[in-house]
Amino acid sequence: MTAKPTITDSRARGARAALLRHPTRYAAVFCLLSFTGFWIAQRAAHVSMVDLMVYRAEGWTVRNAMDLYDMRATVHNLPNTYPPFASLLFTPLTFLDTGVMRTFATALNLALLVVLVHLALRLVGRPRAVPRAAAALSLAGLGVWCEPVWTTLRYGQINLLVTALVLWDLTRRPGRRGHHWAGVGTGVAAGIKITPALFLVLLALAGLVEALQRPRSAGRFRNEHLRRAAVGTGAFLATGALAGLALPHDSHRYWTEILFATDRPGDVEGAGNQNLRGVLARLLHTPDPGGWWLAAAALVACAGLATAVAAQLAEGRLPGNRAWAAVACGVTALMVSPVSWSHHWVWAVPMVLLLGAEALRRRTAPWWCLTAVTALLFCSYMMWYVPHDRPSRVELHQNAGQMLLTAVYPVIGAVFLAVAGRLAVRALRTPPPHPPAGAPRRPEPSYARG
């Protein structure tokens, strides 16, 4: 009777020892199995990758010198809503067969998910007990099943690429290789989709506040925030200039007309529109919340940017301050954008990792609960439980329970900004750490650990 437990315990200890010896290898196997299951599930669901087909149509339009913003693609008659620079990047898709293109896009997005998780872990300074590669592969294998990531791959979207470009910038460390290029990724991301430009605003504001707080007696100092904002702005302008040279008519039309057509991406009251405008449209039963949305967006934009700037400047007083600033800025951009479909919320991945890192640091039940509830809500697909149909626009007639279900991501965003704001304010009220007399000067603050 005692032999079986002994053998079982021995096997368990052996498996644990093998896992500890080769964590990255086992994490890679788990990630591969999870991605394979995901791939099979998506193919079984006959996903259309409709947005990828729109990107390809944009590429064809560029190659045939037709009007980008008169173009309509797929059976859904979808228009182009991106800057013309993005359409230039989509032209290589026209050289691929449809099946090859879909396979390539899926594989690329899965690889980008691993990169995004790795960069997010670097930003939060975790893990400390296992190799980061092992943690990134394991967490990517889990994260692929959350709704924003699933939907991004279902539609063949570029959200993971855009977010990874921003995170690459934010994890560059002063004095390290590639540091002087920090800002280019955010500028290029803004050239593809306008919303990442808010990160340039964050860096510029943080740099200005830092410059104003610097005593005049301190002499010259290096303002890293302003430098990165300038590099990013230059990269953004370069994408516009390149598109202007290649597509002058489309560029002029985009920056003077299409950019301000906020209803062009689709019905704002749709269940998938997870932002302030969508919530207000469903709450007020109108496709045009008008002044209510503008007022709410202005309030949230100011509060969100103030929170992000405060966190950015709380070096040494708020653990993971750069991560809190980055996620707060990403959430703010999603909340105030005219349209933020659920697949735009891939910032859910860095958010959950940041909350998990804070829970590990504090080791208290409320933080573990906050992390678990946030992760579960992003994996719940909650907004799709209610009736949603574009032709009939049923979302304009939701009851209170349905409105709550379709407001899940904005509610998460609001709670996160409140938590981040509280932490940032408390940190700024804490006196900054000062080295003891005679100690060497601290090096330039790093943007990330590891």
Side-chain angles (χ1 to χ4, degrees), residues 100-183:
V100 173
M101 179 183 66
R102 288 176 173 173
T103 300
F104 169 76
T106 302
L108 178 62
N109 266 329
L110 290 174
L112 284 169
L113 175 60
V114 177
V115 171
L116 187 149
V117 173
H118 171 79
L119 292 173
L121 287 172
R122 187 178 184 193
L123 192 63
V124 302
R126 293 282 178 170
R128 297 172 184 171
V130 297
R132 185 168 293 151
L137 289 166
S138 300
L139 292 168
L142 296 172
V144 74
W145 299 98
C146 75
E147 193 274 342
V149 176
W150 169 279
T151 315
T152 287
L153 276 92
R154 173 189 175 187
Y155 294 140
Q157 264 280 345
I158 58 172
N159 306 303
L160 292 169
L161 172 62
V162 171
T163 307
L165 285 171
V166 173
L167 286 179
W168 184 89
D169 273 351
L170 297 177
T171 53
R172 297 307 93 198
R173 297 176 59 181
R176 293 294 183 90
R177 184 178 179 182
H179 157 64
H180 294 294
W181 291 95

Side-chain angles (χ1 to χ4, degrees), residues 209-222 441:
V209 172
E210 186 180 18
L212 291 172
Q213 291 179 341
R214 190 80 173 187
R216 292 187 178 183
S217 59
R220 291 186 62 187
F221 74 101
R222 184 183 181 87
R441 290 186 62 186

Side-chain angles (χ1 to χ4, degrees), residues 433-450:
H434 295 286
R441 290 186 62 186
R442 293 178 61 193
E444 188 77 21
S446 66
Y447 267 63
R449 299 179 180 178

Side-chain angles (χ1 to χ4, degrees), residues 271 274 279 282 383 402-412:
Q274 294 291 299
V279 170
R282 294 185 288 268
M383 74 287 299
Q402 292 170 337
M403 290 179 195
L404 182 61
L405 290 176
T406 53
V408 56
Y409 291 177
V411 169
I412 294 174

Side-chain angles (χ1 to χ4, degrees), residues 248-302:
H249 170 72
D250 295 316
S251 295
H252 179 268
R253 188 176 176 194
Y254 178 81
W255 296 110
T256 60
E257 176 189 346
I258 304 301
L259 178 63
F260 306 102
T262 56
D263 292 335
R264 187 178 174 89
D267 299 333
V268 297
E269 78 277 2
N273 190 20
Q274 294 291 299
N275 61 8
L276 290 173
R277 194 173 182 219
V279 170
L280 287 172
R282 294 185 288 268
L283 179 65
L284 301 175
H285 305 292
T286 174
D288 183 17
W292 290 102
W293 168 61
L294 292 175
L299 179 63
V300 171
C302 292

Side-chain angles (χ1 to χ4, degrees), residues 42-105:
Q42 289 247 317
R43 292 301 177 268
H46 303 290
V47 295
S48 62
M49 302 188 78
V50 62
D51 288 343
L52 181 64
M53 304 308 295
V54 175
Y55 300 158
R56 191 188 196 195
E58 292 176 34
W60 275 115
T61 304
V62 170
R63 286 185 61 186
N64 290 282
M66 300 171 66
D67 195 311
L68 268 176
Y69 300 104
D70 284 339
M71 177 212 78
R72 293 293 185 273
T74 76
V75 296
H76 303 288
N77 204 34
L78 297 175
N80 176 19
T81 60
Y82 291 174
F85 175 72
S87 300
L88 291 176
L89 298 182
F90 297 146
T91 52
L93 296 176
T94 61
F95 297 98
L96 300 177
D97 176 80
T98 301
V100 173
M101 179 183 66
R102 288 176 173 173
T103 300
F104 169 76

Side-chain angles (χ1 to χ4, degrees), residues 297-361:
L299 179 63
V300 171
C302 292
L305 276 174
T307 296
V309 170
Q312 188 81 2
L313 297 176
E315 187 80 40
R317 292 175 281 179
L318 174 62
N321 70 298
R322 309 280 178 160
W324 285 103
V327 179
C329 187
V331 168
T332 301
L334 291 167
M335 295 275 280
V336 304
S337 175
V339 173
S340 296
W341 303 122
S342 67
H343 52 76
H344 293 165
W345 281 80
V346 292
W347 278 97
V349 175
M351 181 192 293
V352 172
L353 293 180
L354 174 58
L355 294 175
E358 190 68 13
L360 282 171
R361 189 179 73 84

